[in-house]
Coordinates of all heavy atoms in Angstrom, one line a residue:
M1 N 146.6 186.0 -120.2 CA 146.1 187.0 -119.3 C 146.5 188.4 -120.0 O 147.7 188.6 -120.4 CB 146.7 186.9 -117.9 CG 146.3 187.9 -117.0 SD 146.9 187.5 -115.3 CE 146.6 188.9 -114.5
I2 N 145.6 189.3 -120.0 CA 145.9 190.6 -120.6 C 146.6 191.5 -119.6 O 146.3 191.6 -118.4 CB 144.5 191.3 -120.9 CG1 143.8 190.5 -122.0 CG2 144.8 192.7 -121.4 CD1 142.4 191.0 -122.3
A3 N 147.7 192.1 -120.1 CA 148.5 193.0 -119.3 C 147.8 194.2 -118.9 O 146.9 194.7 -119.7 CB 149.9 193.3 -120.0
S4 N 148.1 194.8 -117.8 CA 147.5 196.0 -117.4 C 147.9 197.2 -118.4 O 148.9 197.0 -119.2 CB 147.9 196.5 -116.0 OG 149.2 196.9 -116.0
I5 N 147.1 198.2 -118.4 CA 147.4 199.3 -119.3 C 148.8 199.9 -119.0 O 149.6 200.2 -119.9 CB 146.4 200.4 -119.2 CG1 145.1 200.0 -119.8 CG2 146.8 201.8 -119.8 CD1 143.9 200.9 -119.6
A6 N 149.1 200.0 -117.7 CA 150.5 200.5 -117.3 C 151.6 199.6 -117.8 O 152.6 200.1 -118.3 CB 150.6 200.5 -115.8
E7 N 151.4 198.3 -117.8 CA 152.4 197.3 -118.3 C 152.5 197.5 -119.8 O 153.6 197.5 -120.4 CB 152.1 195.9 -117.9 CG 152.2 195.6 -116.5 CD 151.6 194.3 -116.1 OE1 150.7 193.8 -116.8 OE2 152.1 193.7 -115.1
Q8 N 151.4 197.6 -120.5 CA 151.4 197.8 -122.0 C 152.1 199.1 -122.4 O 152.9 199.1 -123.3 CB 149.9 197.7 -122.5 CG 149.3 196.4 -122.4 CD 147.8 196.4 -122.9 OE1 147.6 196.8 -124.0 NE2 146.9 196.1 -122.0
F9 N 151.8 200.1 -121.6 CA 152.4 201.4 -121.9 C 153.9 201.4 -121.7 O 154.6 201.8 -122.6 CB 151.8 202.5 -121.0 CG 152.3 203.9 -121.2 CD1 151.8 204.7 -122.2 CD2 153.4 204.3 -120.4 CE1 152.4 206.0 -122.3 CE2 153.9 205.6 -120.5 CZ 153.4 206.4 -121.5
T10 N 154.3 200.8 -120.6 CA 155.7 200.7 -120.4 C 156.4 199.9 -121.4 O 157.5 200.2 -121.9 CB 156.0 200.1 -119.0 OG1 155.3 200.9 -118.0 CG2 157.4 199.9 -118.6
D11 N 155.8 198.8 -121.8 CA 156.4 197.9 -122.9 C 156.6 198.7 -124.2 O 157.6 198.6 -124.8 CB 155.6 196.6 -123.1 CG 155.6 195.7 -121.9 OD1 156.5 195.8 -121.1 OD2 154.8 194.8 -121.9
I12 N 155.5 199.4 -124.6 CA 155.6 200.1 -125.8 C 156.6 201.2 -125.8 O 157.4 201.4 -126.7 CB 154.2 200.7 -126.2 CG1 153.2 199.6 -126.6 CG2 154.3 201.8 -127.3 CD1 151.8 200.1 -126.7
I13 N 156.7 202.0 -124.7 CA 157.7 203.1 -124.5 C 159.1 202.5 -124.6 O 159.9 203.1 -125.3 CB 157.4 203.9 -123.3 CG1 156.1 204.7 -123.4 CG2 158.6 204.8 -123.0 CD1 156.0 205.7 -124.5
H14 N 159.3 201.4 -123.9 CA 160.7 200.8 -123.9 C 161.0 200.2 -125.3 O 162.2 200.2 -125.6 CB 160.8 199.8 -122.8 CG 160.9 200.5 -121.4 ND1 161.8 201.5 -121.1 CD2 160.1 200.3 -120.3 CE1 161.6 201.9 -119.9 NE2 160.6 201.2 -119.4
K15 N 160.0 199.8 -126.0 CA 160.3 199.2 -127.3 C 160.5 200.3 -128.3 O 161.5 200.2 -129.1 CB 159.0 198.4 -127.7 CG 159.2 197.8 -129.1 CD 157.9 197.0 -129.5 CE 158.0 196.5 -130.9 NZ 156.8 195.8 -131.3
L16 N 159.7 201.3 -128.3 CA 159.9 202.4 -129.3 C 161.0 203.4 -129.0 O 161.5 204.1 -129.9 CB 158.5 203.1 -129.5 CG 157.4 202.3 -130.0 CD1 156.1 203.1 -130.1 CD2 157.7 201.7 -131.4
K17 N 161.3 203.5 -127.7 CA 162.3 204.4 -127.2 C 162.3 205.8 -127.6 O 163.2 206.4 -128.0 CB 163.7 203.8 -127.6 CG 163.9 202.4 -127.1 CD 165.2 201.8 -127.5 CE 165.3 200.4 -127.0 NZ 166.6 199.8 -127.2
P18 N 161.0 206.4 -127.6 CA 160.9 207.8 -128.1 C 161.6 208.8 -127.1 O 161.8 209.9 -127.5 CB 159.4 208.0 -128.2 CG 158.9 207.1 -127.1 CD 159.8 205.9 -127.1
L19 N 161.8 208.4 -125.9 CA 162.3 209.4 -124.9 C 163.6 209.0 -124.3 O 164.1 209.5 -123.3 CB 161.3 209.4 -123.7 CG 159.8 209.9 -124.1 CD1 158.9 209.7 -123.0 CD2 159.8 211.3 -124.6
D20 N 164.4 208.1 -125.0 CA 165.7 207.7 -124.5 C 166.7 208.8 -124.3 O 167.4 208.8 -123.3 CB 166.3 206.6 -125.4 CG 165.7 205.2 -125.1 OD1 164.8 205.1 -124.2 OD2 166.2 204.3 -125.7
D21 N 166.7 209.8 -125.2 CA 167.7 210.9 -125.1 C 167.2 212.1 -124.3 O 167.9 213.1 -124.2 CB 168.1 211.3 -126.5 CG 168.8 210.2 -127.2 OD1 169.5 209.3 -126.5 OD2 168.7 210.1 -128.4
A22 N 166.0 212.0 -123.8 CA 165.4 213.2 -123.1 C 165.8 213.2 -121.6 O 165.7 212.2 -120.9 CB 163.9 213.1 -123.2
D23 N 166.2 214.3 -121.2 CA 166.5 214.5 -119.7 C 165.2 214.8 -119.0 O 165.1 214.4 -117.8 CB 167.5 215.6 -119.5 CG 168.9 215.3 -120.1 OD1 169.3 214.1 -120.1 OD2 169.6 216.3 -120.5
N24 N 164.3 215.5 -119.6 CA 163.1 215.8 -119.0 C 162.0 215.6 -120.0 O 162.2 215.5 -121.2 CB 163.0 217.1 -118.4 CG 163.1 218.2 -119.4 OD1 163.8 218.1 -120.4 ND2 162.5 219.4 -119.1
I25 N 160.8 215.5 -119.5 CA 159.6 215.2 -120.4 C 158.6 216.4 -120.2 O 158.3 216.7 -119.0 CB 158.9 213.9 -120.0 CG1 159.9 212.7 -120.2 CG2 157.7 213.6 -120.8 CD1 159.5 211.4 -119.6
V26 N 158.1 216.9 -121.2 CA 157.1 218.0 -121.2 C 155.8 217.5 -121.8 O 155.8 217.0 -122.9 CB 157.6 219.3 -121.9 CG1 156.5 220.4 -121.8 CG2 158.9 219.7 -121.3
V27 N 154.7 217.7 -121.1 CA 153.4 217.2 -121.5 C 152.4 218.4 -121.4 O 152.4 219.1 -120.4 CB 152.9 216.1 -120.5 CG1 151.5 215.6 -120.9 CG2 153.9 214.9 -120.6
L28 N 151.6 218.5 -122.4 CA 150.4 219.5 -122.3 C 149.4 218.7 -121.5 O 149.1 217.6 -121.8 CB 150.0 219.9 -123.7 CG 151.0 220.7 -124.5 CD1 150.4 221.0 -125.9 CD2 151.4 221.9 -123.8
F29 N 148.8 219.4 -120.6 CA 147.9 218.8 -119.6 C 146.6 219.5 -119.5 O 146.6 220.7 -119.2 CB 148.6 218.7 -118.2 CG 147.8 218.1 -117.1 CD1 147.5 216.7 -117.1 CD2 147.3 218.9 -116.1 CE1 146.8 216.2 -116.1 CE2 146.6 218.3 -115.1 CZ 146.3 217.0 -115.0
S30 N 145.4 218.9 -119.8 CA 144.1 219.5 -119.8 C 143.5 219.5 -118.4 O 142.6 220.2 -118.1 CB 143.2 218.9 -120.8 OG 142.9 217.6 -120.4
G31 N 144.0 218.5 -117.6 CA 143.3 218.3 -116.3 C 142.3 217.2 -116.3 O 141.7 216.9 -115.3
G32 N 142.0 216.7 -117.5 CA 141.0 215.7 -117.7 C 141.5 214.3 -117.3 O 142.7 214.1 -117.0
K33 N 140.6 213.4 -117.4 CA 140.9 212.0 -117.0 C 142.0 211.4 -117.9 O 142.9 210.7 -117.5 CB 139.7 211.1 -117.1 CG 138.7 211.5 -116.1 CD 137.4 210.7 -116.2 CE 136.3 211.2 -115.4 NZ 135.0 210.6 -115.7
D34 N 141.9 211.6 -119.3 CA 142.9 211.0 -120.2 C 144.3 211.5 -120.0 O 145.2 210.8 -119.9 CB 142.4 211.1 -121.6 CG 142.1 212.6 -122.0 OD1 142.0 213.4 -121.2 OD2 142.0 212.8 -123.3
C35 N 144.4 212.8 -119.8 CA 145.7 213.5 -119.5 C 146.2 213.0 -118.2 O 147.4 212.9 -118.0 CB 145.6 215.0 -119.6 SG 145.5 215.6 -121.3
S36 N 145.4 212.9 -117.2 CA 145.8 212.5 -115.9 C 146.3 211.0 -115.9 O 147.4 210.7 -115.3 CB 144.6 212.6 -114.9 OG 144.2 213.9 -114.7
V37 N 145.7 210.2 -116.7 CA 146.2 208.8 -116.8 C 147.5 208.8 -117.5 O 148.5 208.1 -117.0 CB 145.2 207.9 -117.6 CG1 145.8 206.6 -118.0 CG2 143.9 207.7 -116.8
L38 N 147.7 209.6 -118.6 CA 149.0 209.7 -119.3 C 150.1 210.2 -118.3 O 151.1 209.6 -118.3 CB 148.9 210.6 -120.5 CG 150.2 210.9 -121.2 CD1 150.8 209.6 -121.8 CD2 150.0 212.0 -122.2
L39 N 149.8 211.2 -117.5 CA 150.8 211.7 -116.6 C 151.1 210.7 -115.6 O 152.3 210.6 -115.2 CB 150.2 213.0 -116.0 CG 151.2 214.1 -115.5 CD1 152.3 214.3 -116.5 CD2 150.5 215.3 -115.2
H40 N 150.2 210.0 -115.1 CA 150.5 208.9 -114.1 C 151.4 207.8 -114.8 O 152.4 207.4 -114.1 CB 149.2 208.2 -113.6 CG 148.7 208.9 -112.4 ND1 149.2 208.8 -111.1 CD2 147.6 209.7 -112.2 CE1 148.5 209.5 -110.2 NE2 147.5 210.0 -110.9
L41 N 151.0 207.4 -116.0 CA 151.8 206.4 -116.7 C 153.3 206.9 -116.9 O 154.2 206.2 -116.7 CB 151.2 206.1 -118.0 CG 149.9 205.3 -117.9 CD1 149.2 205.2 -119.3 CD2 150.1 203.9 -117.3
L42 N 153.4 208.2 -117.3 CA 154.8 208.7 -117.4 C 155.6 208.7 -116.1 O 156.7 208.4 -116.1 CB 154.7 210.1 -118.1 CG 154.3 210.2 -119.5 CD1 154.0 211.6 -119.9 CD2 155.4 209.5 -120.4
C43 N 154.9 209.1 -115.1 CA 155.5 209.2 -113.7 C 156.0 207.8 -113.3 O 157.1 207.6 -112.8 CB 154.6 209.7 -112.7 SG 154.3 211.5 -112.9
N44 N 155.2 206.8 -113.6 CA 155.5 205.4 -113.2 C 156.6 204.8 -114.1 O 157.4 204.0 -113.6 CB 154.3 204.5 -113.2 CG 153.3 204.9 -112.1 OD1 153.7 205.4 -111.1 ND2 152.1 204.6 -112.3
T45 N 156.6 205.2 -115.3 CA 157.6 204.6 -116.3 C 158.9 205.3 -116.2 O 159.9 204.7 -116.4 CB 157.0 204.8 -117.7 OG1 155.7 204.1 -117.8 CG2 157.9 204.1 -118.8
F46 N 158.9 206.6 -115.9 CA 160.2 207.4 -115.8 C 160.3 208.0 -114.4 O 160.3 209.3 -114.3 CB 160.2 208.4 -116.9 CG 160.2 207.8 -118.3 CD1 159.0 207.9 -119.0 CD2 161.3 207.2 -118.8 CE1 159.0 207.4 -120.3 CE2 161.2 206.6 -120.1 CZ 160.1 206.7 -120.8
P47 N 160.4 207.3 -113.3 CA 160.5 207.9 -112.0 C 161.7 208.7 -111.8 O 161.7 209.6 -110.9 CB 160.5 206.7 -111.1 CG 161.0 205.5 -111.9 CD 160.6 205.8 -113.3
D48 N 162.8 208.5 -112.6 CA 164.0 209.3 -112.4 C 164.1 210.5 -113.3 O 165.1 211.2 -113.3 CB 165.2 208.4 -112.6 CG 165.2 207.7 -114.0 OD1 164.1 207.6 -114.6 OD2 166.2 207.3 -114.5
R49 N 163.1 210.8 -114.1 CA 163.1 211.9 -115.0 C 162.3 213.1 -114.5 O 161.2 212.8 -113.8 CB 162.6 211.5 -116.4 CG 163.4 210.4 -117.0 CD 164.2 210.8 -118.2 NE 164.8 209.6 -118.8 CZ 164.5 209.2 -120.0 NH1 163.7 209.8 -120.8 NH2 165.1 208.1 -120.4
Q50 N 162.7 214.3 -114.8 CA 161.8 215.4 -114.5 C 160.7 215.5 -115.5 O 160.9 215.4 -116.7 CB 162.6 216.7 -114.7 CG 161.8 218.0 -114.5 CD 161.2 218.1 -113.1 OE1 161.9 218.0 -112.1 NE2 159.9 218.4 -113.1
I51 N 159.5 215.6 -115.0 CA 158.3 215.7 -115.8 C 157.7 217.1 -115.6 O 157.3 217.4 -114.5 CB 157.3 214.6 -115.6 CG1 157.9 213.2 -115.9 CG2 156.0 214.8 -116.4 CD1 157.1 212.0 -115.7
D52 N 157.5 217.8 -116.7 CA 156.9 219.1 -116.6 C 155.5 219.0 -117.3 O 155.5 218.5 -118.4 CB 157.7 220.2 -117.3 CG 159.1 220.4 -116.6 OD1 159.1 220.7 -115.4 OD2 160.1 220.1 -117.3
A53 N 154.5 219.6 -116.7 CA 153.2 219.6 -117.4 C 152.7 221.1 -117.5 O 152.9 221.8 -116.5 CB 152.2 218.8 -116.5
I54 N 152.2 221.4 -118.6 CA 151.7 222.7 -118.9 C 150.2 222.6 -119.1 O 149.7 221.9 -119.9 CB 152.3 223.3 -120.1 CG1 153.8 223.4 -120.0 CG2 151.7 224.7 -120.4 CD1 154.6 223.8 -121.2
M55 N 149.5 223.3 -118.2 CA 148.0 223.3 -118.3 C 147.5 224.7 -118.7 O 147.7 225.7 -118.0 CB 147.5 222.9 -116.9 CG 146.0 222.9 -116.8 SD 145.5 222.4 -115.1 CE 143.7 222.2 -115.3
A56 N 146.8 224.7 -119.8 CA 146.2 226.0 -120.3 C 144.8 225.9 -120.0 O 144.0 225.1 -120.5 CB 146.5 226.1 -121.8
V57 N 144.3 226.9 -119.2 CA 142.9 227.0 -118.8 C 142.2 228.0 -119.6 O 142.4 229.2 -119.5 CB 142.8 227.3 -117.3 CG1 141.4 227.4 -116.8 CG2 143.6 226.3 -116.4
Y58 N 141.2 227.5 -120.4 CA 140.3 228.4 -121.2 C 139.0 227.7 -121.3 O 139.0 226.5 -121.7 CB 140.9 228.8 -122.5 CG 139.9 229.6 -123.3 CD1 139.9 231.0 -123.1 CD2 139.0 229.1 -124.2 CE1 139.1 231.8 -123.7 CE2 138.1 230.0 -124.8 CZ 138.1 231.3 -124.6 OH 137.3 232.1 -125.2
P59 N 137.9 228.3 -121.1 CA 137.8 229.7 -120.5 C 138.3 229.7 -119.1 O 138.4 228.7 -118.4 CB 136.4 230.0 -120.6 CG 135.7 228.7 -120.6 CD 136.6 227.7 -121.3
K60 N 138.6 230.9 -118.6 CA 139.3 231.0 -117.3 C 138.3 230.6 -116.2 O 138.8 230.2 -115.1 CB 139.8 232.4 -117.0 CG 138.8 233.5 -116.8 CD 139.6 234.8 -116.5 CE 138.6 235.9 -116.0 NZ 139.4 237.1 -115.7
Q61 N 137.0 230.6 -116.4 CA 136.1 230.1 -115.4 C 135.9 228.6 -115.4 O 135.1 228.0 -114.7 CB 134.7 230.8 -115.5 CG 134.0 230.5 -116.8 CD 134.2 231.4 -117.9 OE1 135.2 232.0 -118.1 NE2 133.2 231.6 -118.8
M62 N 136.7 227.9 -116.2 CA 136.6 226.4 -116.3 C 136.9 225.7 -115.0 O 136.3 224.8 -114.6 CB 137.6 225.9 -117.4 CG 137.6 224.4 -117.5 SD 136.2 223.7 -118.3 CE 136.4 224.3 -120.0
Y63 N 137.9 226.3 -114.2 CA 138.3 225.7 -113.0 C 138.3 226.9 -111.9 O 138.8 228.0 -112.2 CB 139.7 225.1 -113.0 CG 139.8 223.9 -113.8 CD1 140.3 223.9 -115.1 CD2 139.5 222.7 -113.3 CE1 140.4 222.8 -115.9 CE2 139.6 221.5 -114.0 CZ 140.1 221.6 -115.3 OH 140.2 220.4 -116.1
S64 N 137.8 226.6 -110.7 CA 137.9 227.6 -109.7 C 139.4 227.7 -109.2 O 140.1 226.7 -109.4 CB 137.0 227.2 -108.5 OG 137.5 226.1 -107.9
P65 N 139.7 228.8 -108.5 CA 141.1 228.9 -108.0 C 141.3 227.7 -107.0 O 142.5 227.2 -106.9 CB 141.1 230.2 -107.2 CG 140.1 231.0 -108.0 CD 139.0 230.1 -108.4
E66 N 140.3 227.3 -106.3 CA 140.5 226.2 -105.3 C 140.8 224.9 -106.0 O 141.6 224.1 -105.6 CB 139.3 226.1 -104.4 CG 139.0 227.3 -103.5 CD 138.3 228.4 -104.2 OE1 137.8 228.2 -105.3 OE2 138.3 229.5 -103.6
S67 N 140.1 224.7 -107.1 CA 140.3 223.4 -107.9 C 141.7 223.4 -108.5 O 142.4 222.4 -108.5 CB 139.3 223.3 -109.0 OG 138.0 223.1 -108.5
L68 N 142.2 224.5 -109.0 CA 143.5 224.6 -109.6 C 144.6 224.4 -108.5 O 145.6 223.7 -108.7 CB 143.8 226.0 -110.3 CG 142.9 226.2 -111.5 CD1 143.1 227.6 -112.0 CD2 143.3 225.2 -112.6
A69 N 144.3 224.9 -107.3 CA 145.3 224.7 -106.2 C 145.3 223.2 -105.8 O 146.4 222.7 -105.6 CB 144.9 225.5 -105.0
R70 N 144.2 222.5 -105.8 CA 144.1 221.1 -105.5 C 144.9 220.3 -106.6 O 145.6 219.3 -106.3 CB 142.7 220.6 -105.4 CG 142.1 220.9 -104.0 CD 140.8 220.1 -103.8 NE 139.8 220.3 -104.9 CZ 138.9 221.2 -104.9 NH1 138.8 222.2 -104.0 NH2 138.0 221.3 -105.9
I71 N 144.6 220.7 -107.9 CA 145.3 219.9 -109.0 C 146.8 220.1 -108.9 O 147.6 219.1 -109.0 CB 144.8 220.5 -110.3 CG1 143.3 220.1 -110.5 CG2 145.7 220.0 -111.5 CD1 142.7 220.8 -111.7
E72 N 147.2 221.3 -108.6 CA 148.7 221.6 -108.5 C 149.3 220.8 -107.3 O 150.4 220.2 -107.4 CB 148.9 223.1 -108.3 CG 150.3 223.5 -108.4 CD 150.5 225.0 -108.5 OE1 149.6 225.8 -107.9 OE2 151.5 225.5 -109.0
E73 N 148.6 220.9 -106.2 CA 149.1 220.1 -105.0 C 149.1 218.6 -105.2 O 150.1 217.9 -104.8 CB 148.2 220.5 -103.8 CG 148.7 220.1 -102.4 CD 150.0 220.8 -102.1 OE1 150.2 221.9 -102.5 OE2 150.9 220.2 -101.5
Y74 N 148.1 218.1 -105.9 CA 148.1 216.7 -106.2 C 149.3 216.3 -107.0 O 150.0 215.3 -106.6 CB 146.8 216.3 -107.0 CG 146.8 214.9 -107.4 CD1 146.3 213.9 -106.5 CD2 147.2 214.4 -108.6 CE1 146.3 212.6 -106.8 CE2 147.1 213.1 -109.0 CZ 146.7 212.2 -108.1 OH 146.7 210.9 -108.4
W75 N 149.7 217.0 -108.0 CA 150.8 216.6 -108.9 C 152.1 216.8 -108.2 O 153.1 216.2 -108.6 CB 150.7 217.2 -110.3 CG 149.6 216.6 -111.0 CD1 148.4 217.1 -111.3 CD2 149.5 215.2 -111.5 NE1 147.6 216.2 -112.0 CE2 148.3 215.0 -112.1 CE3 150.5 214.2 -111.5 CZ2 147.9 213.8 -112.7 CZ3 150.1 213.0 -112.1 CH2 148.9 212.8 -112.7
K76 N 152.2 217.7 -107.2 CA 153.5 217.9 -106.5 C 153.9 216.6 -105.9 O 155.1 216.3 -105.8 CB 153.3 219.0 -105.5 CG 153.4 220.4 -106.0 CD 153.3 221.4 -104.8 CE 153.3 222.8 -105.4 NZ 153.2 223.8 -104.3
Q77 N 153.0 215.8 -105.4 CA 153.3 214.5 -104.7 C 154.0 213.5 -105.6 O 154.7 212.6 -105.2 CB 152.1 213.9 -104.0 CG 151.1 213.4 -104.9 CD 149.9 212.8 -104.2 OE1 150.0 212.3 -103.1 NE2 148.7 212.9 -104.8
Y78 N 153.8 213.8 -107.0 CA 154.5 212.9 -108.0 C 155.7 213.6 -108.6 O 156.2 213.2 -109.6 CB 153.5 212.5 -109.0 CG 152.4 211.6 -108.5 CD1 151.1 212.2 -108.1 CD2 152.6 210.3 -108.4 CE1 150.2 211.3 -107.6 CE2 151.6 209.4 -107.9 CZ 150.4 210.0 -107.5 OH 149.4 209.2 -107.0
N79 N 156.1 214.7 -108.0 CA 157.2 215.5 -108.5 C 157.0 216.0 -109.9 O 158.0 216.2 -110.7 CB 158.5 214.7 -108.4 CG 158.9 214.4 -107.0 OD1 158.7 215.2 -106.1 ND2 159.3 213.2 -106.7
V80 N 155.8 216.3 -110.3 CA 155.5 216.9 -111.6 C 155.5 218.4 -111.4 O 154.9 219.0 -110.5 CB 154.1 216.5 -112.1 CG1 153.7 217.2 -113.3 CG2 154.1 215.0 -112.4
N81 N 156.3 219.1 -112.2 CA 156.3 220.5 -112.2 C 155.2 221.0 -113.1 O 155.3 221.0 -114.3 CB 157.7 221.0 -112.7 CG 157.8 222.5 -112.7 OD1 157.2 223.2 -111.9 ND2 158.6 223.0 -113.6
L82 N 154.1 221.5 -112.5 CA 152.9 221.9 -113.2 C 152.9 223.4 -113.3 O 152.9 224.1 -112.3 CB 151.7 221.4 -112.5 CG 150.3 221.8 -113.1 CD1 150.2 221.2 -114.5 CD2 149.2 221.4 -112.2
T83 N 152.8 223.9 -114.6 CA 152.7 225.3 -114.8 C 151.2 225.5 -115.3 O 150.8 224.8 -116.3 CB 153.6 225.8 -115.9 OG1 155.0 225.5 -115.4 CG2 153.5 227.2 -116.2
I84 N 150.5 226.4 -114.7 CA 149.1 226.6 -115.1 C 149.0 228.0 -115.7 O 149.4 229.0 -115.2 CB 148.2 226.6 -113.9 CG1 148.3 225.2 -113.2 CG2 146.8 226.9 -114.2 CD1 147.5 225.1 -111.9
L85 N 148.6 228.0 -117.0 CA 148.4 229.2 -117.7 C 146.9 229.5 -117.8 O 146.1 228.7 -118.3 CB 148.9 229.1 -119.2 CG 150.4 228.6 -119.3 CD1 150.7 228.3 -120.7 CD2 151.3 229.5 -118.7
I86 N 146.5 230.7 -117.3 CA 145.0 231.0 -117.3 C 144.7 232.1 -118.3 O 145.4 233.1 -118.3 CB 144.6 231.4 -115.9 CG1 144.9 230.3 -114.9 CG2 143.1 231.8 -115.8 CD1 144.7 230.7 -113.4
A87 N 143.7 231.9 -119.1 CA 143.3 232.9 -120.1 C 143.0 234.2 -119.4 O 142.5 234.3 -118.2 CB 142.0 232.4 -120.8
S88 N 143.3 235.3 -120.1 CA 143.1 236.6 -119.5 C 141.6 237.1 -119.5 O 141.3 238.0 -118.9 CB 144.0 237.6 -120.1 OG 143.7 237.7 -121.5
E89 N 140.8 236.4 -120.3 CA 139.4 236.8 -120.5 C 138.5 235.6 -120.3 O 138.9 234.5 -120.6 CB 139.2 237.4 -121.9 CG 140.0 238.7 -122.2 CD 139.8 239.2 -123.6 OE1 138.9 238.7 -124.3 OE2 140.6 240.0 -124.0
D90 N 137.3 235.9 -119.9 CA 136.3 234.9 -119.8 C 135.8 234.6 -121.3 O 135.9 235.4 -122.2 CB 135.1 235.4 -119.0 CG 135.3 235.5 -117.5 OD1 136.2 234.7 -117.1 OD2 134.7 236.3 -116.9
D91 N 135.2 233.4 -121.4 CA 134.6 233.1 -122.7 C 133.1 233.6 -122.5 O 132.3 233.2 -121.7 CB 134.5 231.5 -122.8 CG 133.9 231.1 -124.1 OD1 133.3 231.9 -124.8 OD2 134.0 229.9 -124.4
P92 N 132.8 234.6 -123.4 CA 131.5 235.2 -123.3 C 130.3 234.2 -123.4 O 129.2 234.5 -122.9 CB 131.4 236.3 -124.4 CG 132.5 235.9 -125.3 CD 133.5 235.1 -124.5
D93 N 130.5 233.1 -124.1 CA 129.5 232.2 -124.3 C 129.3 231.3 -123.1 O 128.3 230.6 -123.0 CB 129.8 231.3 -125.5 CG 129.7 232.1 -126.8 OD1 129.0 233.1 -126.9 OD2 130.5 231.7 -127.8
Q94 N 130.2 231.3 -122.2 CA 130.1 230.5 -121.0 C 129.7 231.2 -119.7 O 129.6 230.6 -118.7 CB 131.5 229.8 -120.7 CG 132.0 228.9 -121.8 CD 131.1 227.7 -122.0 OE1 130.7 227.1 -121.0 NE2 130.9 227.3 -123.2
C95 N 129.5 232.5 -119.8 CA 129.1 233.3 -118.6 C 127.6 233.2 -118.3 O 126.8 232.9 -119.0 CB 129.5 234.8 -118.8 SG 131.2 235.0 -118.9

C-alpha cells in the first residue's frame, strides 16, 4: 500500500533531519496550493515548533484585503505566524 503524502513527507524529514537543530521554522509562502500543502505538512510534522511564514504579495492587487485577512485568520488556527508583505506599487501590466 502506498503511504500518504503526509507519511512520506514525515518519513523523509525524520530520515534527513534537516530541521533537528531548529527552534523555529521559516517558510516563504505564496498563498498557492503547493505552499499551503507544504505549510500543512510542516505543521503536522512539527506541532511543537514555531512556524513563521512570510508572504510577499506582488502585484499588490493579486489579493484583496478581505482575501488576505481570510488567509491570515486561517493560518492562525494552526499557530502559524504569518507576515504579509505587500508591494507598494501596482503592476502596470495587471491594471
